[in-house]
Amino acid sequence: METLLKVDKLKQYYPIKGGVLERTVNHVKAVDDISFTLAEGETLSIVGESGCGKSTIGRAILRLVKSTTGKIEFLNKDLLKANAKELREMRKNLQVIFQDPFASLNPRQKVGSILEEALIIHKKGSKSERKQRIIELLESVGLSEHAINRYPHEFSGGQRQRIGIARALSVEPRLIICDEAVSALDVSVQAQVLNLLKTLQKKHKLAYLFISHDLGVVKHVSDRVIVMYLGKIVEIGDKTDIFKNPKHPYTKALLSAIPSTSSAEKQKRIVLKGDIPSPIDPPVGCRFHTRCPFATSECKTLEPELKKVGVNQSAACHLI
Ligand code: SF4
């Protein structure tokens, strides 16, 4: 399958200003040397606790923040070097669905106008062709054409997220970044929206970069999974390997916290000590050593590299 997205050695540091002269005194190292690829039609999920840098990666790919160093190639073009015109062209193929559909939909705009906006920007079709396209889009996400003349507040949370999905689909993208896209929804509505995303993926060969803190959701949607801790990838691999045979102590701890109804899947909860350290001054050596139950003296000085631990699985831990 064609590689759509290639992120190479991406760093996203935010400067901290201080003193009378407002000089840069330190940095928040939100994302620190991250590399991965994403193929056509694939769902790659990024998981980790809040503050691990997963949403920052999405924002960097969308160019909502200016990356410090590294390279992001999308459809063989360097996103970080693209000018405004090139970026607009790329946006046709790269869309986003945010967590809060209400905040991301203009409350003063009717749904028809919200969906038409992207079609106008990307010069897609005549007025009547656009109207037909909007009706098709609404139908594809399970809404009727009557939605055209209604405002976002007239819909439920799940329906609003469907409108967000229709908007993302309107320009026929190749990749959609789903940033906590179902986190704000009730569990039953979550399942409906996730199933809709899967159906649309099959139909349009869409790729998803699925950013979520919810491992239950990630297990349901992913082909591959990236586990992040304090700005670093600690484990990456096929979903089955990550969920059935996790290698990194942090992945094991995260998975042990998923509630399970099956007795075969029930495992002892691994409770991590303390809070996630500050990304301003991350621990030297393995960043996880302050909370890892297996930390050795080597872990406190030497940073582990991401190494192959299976056919399609890599982890960063000295003990593996
Ligand atoms: Fe734990 Fe050491 Fe492995 Fe880090 S490198 S996860 S501290 S055992």
Side-chain angles (χ1 to χ4, degrees):
M1 267 189 295
E2 184 193 356
T3 299
L4 281 187
L5 178 74
K6 197 170 166 198
V7 173
D8 192 28
K9 297 186 169 53
L10 181 72
K11 286 188 183 178
Q12 186 71 54
Y13 290 2
Y14 297 106
I16 300 169
K17 307 279 180 190
V20 188
L21 298 173
E22 283 287 295
R23 287 209 175 104
T24 301
V25 291
N26 212 333
H27 288 92
V28 175
K29 299 175 181 87
V31 169
D32 206 359
D33 206 357
I34 295 278
S35 302
F36 64 88
T37 59
L38 171 58
E40 179 184 56
E42 182 185 35
T43 301
L44 174 65
S45 292
I46 307 182
V47 288
E49 288 164 292
S50 150
C52 71
K54 56 188 187 304
S55 287
T56 306
I57 294 179
R59 283 200 281 273
I61 294 168
L62 290 162
R63 285 267 308 258
L64 299 177
V65 288
K66 194 172 180 295
S67 298
T68 312
T69 56
K71 202 171 178 187
I72 302 176
E73 265 181 35
F74 180 61
L75 291 169
N76 298 319
K77 293 210 176 77
D78 192 339
L79 262 180
L80 301 185
K81 290 197 179 135
N83 59 31
K85 191 171 168 242
E86 290 164 335
L87 211 54
R88 214 168 28 247
E89 275 300 303
M90 286 188 201
R91 284 264 161 82
K92 265 193 234 167
N93 288 306
L94 176 60
Q95 290 288 306
V96 62
I97 305 168
F98 291 107
Q99 175 179 5
D100 183 354
F102 202 47
S104 64
L105 301 173
N106 185 344
R108 288 194 205 95
Q109 242 180 326
K110 287 183 181 170
V111 170
S113 151
I114 290 172
L115 295 182
E116 191 176 16
E117 207 167 38
L119 296 173
I120 293 172
I121 292 171
H122 294 293
K123 301 188 175 73
K124 296 232 169 200
S126 62
K127 180 90 188 151
S128 62
E129 284 165 343
R130 287 198 298 269
K131 171 109 190 266
Q132 190 50 41
R133 174 87 183 121
I134 291 165
I135 294 169
E136 283 165 18
L137 282 166
L138 287 168
E139 276 171 4
S140 74
V141 297
L143 294 172
S144 83
E145 78 171 272
H146 300 301
I148 289 179
N149 290 315
R150 293 166 66 193
Y151 290 94
H153 73 265
E154 297 178 60
F155 296 88
S156 67
Q159 286 171 326
R160 281 199 292 265
Q161 198 53 300
R162 284 169 190 266
I163 297 166
I165 295 170
R167 180 176 57 182
L169 284 177
S170 62
V171 287
E172 297 169 60
R174 306 275 301 273
L175 167 63
I176 298 184
I177 297 177
C178 303
D179 189 0
E180 299 282 4
V182 294
S183 305
L185 306 175
D186 290 343
V187 178
S188 61
V189 183
Q190 251 187 19
Q192 289 167 16
V193 173
L194 290 175
N195 289 336
L196 171 66
L197 288 172
K198 277 199 160 185
T199 309
L200 294 169
Q201 180 171 44
K202 268 196 204 138
K203 193 169 163 194
H204 302 286
K205 278 200 193 154
L206 279 168
Y208 294 130
L209 184 66
F210 208 90
I211 297 163
S212 178
H213 69 280
D214 186 334
L215 280 152
V217 167
V218 165
K219 192 176 182 183
H220 184 71
V221 296
S222 316
D223 296 310
R224 285 190 304 134
V225 177
I226 288 175
V227 182
M228 280 190 73
Y229 185 78
L230 214 52
K232 292 267 183 193
I233 293 179
V234 296
E235 188 157 6
I236 177 168
D238 284 348
K239 175 188 66 182
T240 322
D241 293 329
I242 296 281
F243 278 85
K244 285 209 169 138
N245 194 14
K247 300 288 189 192
H248 196 280
Y250 180 61
T251 314
K252 290 181 186 176
L254 280 186
L255 293 179
S256 78
I258 305 179
S260 169
T261 45
S262 125
S263 54
E265 276 188 14
K266 265 189 188 142
Q267 49 187 324
K268 198 162 174 275
R269 172 109 196 242
I270 303 167
V271 181
L272 295 176
K273 282 179 281 170
D275 293 324
I276 189 164
S278 164
I280 297 171
D281 202 7
V284 180
C286 173
R287 291 190 179 186
F288 186 52
H289 85 252
T290 54
R291 300 170 82 198
C292 180
F294 312 106
T296 63
S297 53
E298 186 190 22
C299 305
K300 294 175 189 167
T301 51
L302 192 64
E303 188 176 338
E305 281 178 22
L306 206 56
K307 286 180 295 202
K308 231 170 156 40
V309 292
V311 182
N312 289 316
Q313 190 176 9
S314 301
C317 172
H318 293 308
L319 295 190
I320 304 166

